[in-house]
């Protein structure tokens, strides 16, 4: 791809692969959410010959899973920065370094399009969803998974209220909408997808080995400290709290929504 990607938190700053602990953040997502994601995908009538598009492929766990499920098809894994993607693991995986807000695939090109934790960070999120529905082949499926953050002040732990408020403020400052996922099912339906379905998976903070938030907070910590939203003492107290077996909280849900394109491709302007 020859296009220059737009400047976003994904290629500069907080969420870029140059950020400290980014690999840890991606690994935490895969470790804690992959089973939920593959469970959703397993419920679809995936065929071995399908062509799939993985948007915001990250470290590639779902792209590789799809490549194994579709050995006679192909999987295109797209990300602004593809350094964590291993093209050598499967022959039917094509890696593209591109900005999907500037990309336009041929209409009717993919049997399955999947994205996770991507659209909440895009300013043109609704428009790109509409565009992605046109990339689907007749009968193809669009599966979108996004975080839905609960209000920070509803946590039963005062420290978590402070940290989550800081975290949510910082992500909002970088253009993210952490409550956008609530409208996903309606958005898919408005874009003429049928059989729209959704599910949710709670994300655990604490619970000892079940925690998925330490890598996220650790990666965001420099920005939170620089903005004066938390203190080093807060981070130390948080690390101590994570060792308490009685500390369990639910800061967010992952909302998955999916729908199917009708069998007829509508006219698309040239």
């Amino acid at each position: 791809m020859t296009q220059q990607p737009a400047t976003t938190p994904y290629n500069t700053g907080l969420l870029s692969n140059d950020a400290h602990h980014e690999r840890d953040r991606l690994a935490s997502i895969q470790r804690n959410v992959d089973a939920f994601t593959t469970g959703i995908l397993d419920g679809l009538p995936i065929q071995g010959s399908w062509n799939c598009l993985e948007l915001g492929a990250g470290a590639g766990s779902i792209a590789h899973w799809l490549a194994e499920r579709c050995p006679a098809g192909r999987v295109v894994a797209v990300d602004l920065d593809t350094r964590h993607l291993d093209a050598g693991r499967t022959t039917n995986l094509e890696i593209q370094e591109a900005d999907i807000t500037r990309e336009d695939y041929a209409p009717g090109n993919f049997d399955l399009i999947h994205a996770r934790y991507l659209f909440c960070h895009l300013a043109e999120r609704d428009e790109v969803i509409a565009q992605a529905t046109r990339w689907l082949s007749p009968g193809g499926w669009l599966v979108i998974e996004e975080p839905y953050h609960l209000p920070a002040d509803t946590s039963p732990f005062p420290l978590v209220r402070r940290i989550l408020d800081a975290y949510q403020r910082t992500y909002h400052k970088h253009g993210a909408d952490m409550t956008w996922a609530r409208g996903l099912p309606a958005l898919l339906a408005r874009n003429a997808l049928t059989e729209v379905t959704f599910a949710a998976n709670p994300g655990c903070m604490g619970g000892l080995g079940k925690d998925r938030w330490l890598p996220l907070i650790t990666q965001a910590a420099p920005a939170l400290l620089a903005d004066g939203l938390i203190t080093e003492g807060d981070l130390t107290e948080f690390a101590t709290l994570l060792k308490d077996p009685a500390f369990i909280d639910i800061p967010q849900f992952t909302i998955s929504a999916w729908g199917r394109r009708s069998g007829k491709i509508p006219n698309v302007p040239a």
Side-chain angles (χ1 to χ4, degrees):
M1 295 295 169
T2 58
Q3 295 172 327
Q4 285 296 109
T7 298
T8 76
Y10 273 99
N11 61 3
T12 61
L14 184 64
L15 296 173
S16 76
N17 283 321
D18 289 326
H20 292 302
H21 307 292
E22 173 61 5
R23 180 68 193 194
D24 293 340
R25 185 184 77 90
L26 294 173
S28 174
I29 291 171
Q30 292 185 164
R31 185 171 58 251
N32 290 277
V33 190
D34 273 7
F36 175 66
T37 296
T38 56
I40 297 295
L41 297 175
D42 250 338
L44 302 180
I46 295 177
Q47 303 297 311
S49 60
W50 274 15
N51 292 322
C52 306
L53 177 62
E54 176 74 4
L55 300 173
S61 61
I62 300 303
H64 288 294
W65 186 89
L66 287 170
E68 292 174 0
R69 284 295 307 271
C70 304
R74 68 173 180 136
V75 176
V76 179
V78 184
D79 207 297
L80 278 175
D81 186 330
T82 60
R83 73 183 70 177
H84 296 306
L85 293 170
D86 180 7
R89 280 179 51 183
T90 46
T91 59
N92 61 333
L93 177 64
E94 176 185 343
I95 294 176
Q96 294 182 357
E97 191 162 286
D99 178 356
I100 68 160
T101 67
R102 300 184 177 188
E103 199 56 53
D104 197 6
Y105 296 96
N109 207 27
F110 296 101
D111 302 292
L112 171 66
I113 300 174
H114 172 260
R116 186 172 68 188
Y117 297 173
L118 169 65
F119 282 88
C120 65
H121 299 287
L122 303 180
E124 312 95 330
R125 52 186 73 93
D126 286 16
E127 293 81 1
V128 179
I129 289 283
Q131 192 174 30
T133 64
R134 296 193 290 270
W135 300 337
L136 290 170
S137 62
W141 293 87
L142 177 63
V143 182
I144 306 295
E145 303 187 286
E146 295 294 330
Y148 182 85
H149 278 221
L150 300 176
D153 62 4
T154 62
S155 171
F157 302 95
L159 173 65
V160 175
R161 291 176 212 155
R162 295 197 302 274
I163 290 179
L164 283 182
D165 180 69
Y167 187 89
Q168 292 168 0
R169 285 173 181 266
T170 298
Y171 269 68
H172 180 75
K173 175 183 173 182
H174 284 82
D177 186 342
M178 295 303 197
T179 60
W180 173 78
R182 181 172 180 170
L184 257 176
L187 181 60
L188 298 185
R190 286 200 304 273
N191 280 282
L193 296 188
T194 63
E195 302 178 48
V196 173
T197 313
F198 57 91
N201 182 47
C204 182
M205 177 184 280
L208 299 179
K210 297 178 181 179
D211 177 72
R212 62 154 296 198
W213 275 83
L214 180 59
L216 279 65
I217 299 301
T218 299
Q219 189 217 36
L224 306 185
L225 292 168
D227 288 344
L229 298 174
I230 62 171
T231 67
E232 290 284 0
D234 289 329
L235 293 175
T236 300
E237 186 180 348
F238 183 61
T240 301
L241 191 59
L242 287 172
K243 299 174 184 177
D244 182 353
F247 172 53
I248 303 173
D249 201 358
I250 306 171
Q252 74 170 49
F253 288 83
T254 297
I255 294 180
S256 296
W258 59 99
R260 190 176 192 183
R261 187 174 182 177
S262 64
K264 183 179 179 182
I265 299 178
N267 293 327
V268 178

